[in-house]
Amino acid sequence: VRDNLQPTIDFFLSKCLMDEKAVISLIKSCPALFGLSIEHNLTPKLDFFAMELGLKDNDLSRCMRKHPQILALSLKNLVEKASYFDAIDDATKDGKERSLAYRIASHHPAIYSLSLTENIFPKVDCLAN
């Protein structure tokens, strides 16, 4: 426990700004996250959220509390979806709005768990037409 679980708990407490109650909830809702490598899996994803999407501490913490399963997705999967969301986003062209990828991650992160081909593409196509 001390060698495997505790470093991951510490990671969520410090890097995701979660309190102990939130980490306990995380363990209950998505225990698979505690088997992921901090160095090779969790840190690159948090870096992506912070550097590529611009999620700040509070937004990142909210994202993790709302849908911790987002960290179980591959980085490639996250990048593909963020790229697609930004490609279809007209609201940020003037620079006044945050990107669609950012807004989805911070307010509705479960959308990142949906399949692009089976769910997101058809819905966007239906709504656009």
Side-chain angles (χ1 to χ4, degrees):
V1 169
R2 189 173 19 142
D3 293 338
N4 293 325
L5 190 56
Q6 192 60 52
T8 308
I9 290 171
D10 294 341
F11 175 83
F12 285 113
L13 289 169
S14 64
K15 298 291 183 185
C16 296
L17 300 179
M18 294 181 152
D19 58 22
E20 288 182 17
K21 184 178 177 182
V23 173
I24 290 169
S25 177
L26 187 70
I27 292 170
K28 290 178 183 178
S29 67
C30 197
L33 293 179
F34 291 84
L36 298 177
S37 164
I38 293 171
E39 180 182 356
H40 299 292
N41 200 307
L42 297 174
T43 298
K45 290 173 190 171
L46 289 187
D47 289 346
F48 169 76
F49 289 128
M51 291 188 260
E52 299 299 322
L53 299 186
L55 286 178
K56 301 296 182 221
D57 294 340
N58 290 337
D59 298 325
L60 182 60
S61 179
R62 180 176 53 237
C63 175
M64 296 306 118
R65 285 192 316 273
K66 283 185 170 187
H67 191 66
Q69 295 86 347
I70 197 168
L71 290 176
L73 300 173
S74 72
L75 185 57
K76 180 183 175 197
N77 185 318
L78 294 170
V79 169
E80 272 182 17
K81 289 174 183 163
S83 295
Y84 175 71
F85 295 144
D86 286 343
I88 64 168
D89 184 17
D90 286 333
T92 58
K93 298 234 183 335
D94 61 7
K96 293 179 183 176
E97 289 272 336
R98 298 269 191 170
S99 74
L100 181 59
Y102 168 92
R103 295 190 317 267
I104 290 172
S106 65
H107 297 289
H108 307 287
I111 291 173
Y112 275 88
S113 290
L114 300 175
S115 165
L116 272 174
T117 57
E118 299 296 319
N119 198 307
I120 297 170
F121 290 158
K123 283 184 174 64
V124 170
D125 187 48
C126 178
L127 293 170
N129 297 318

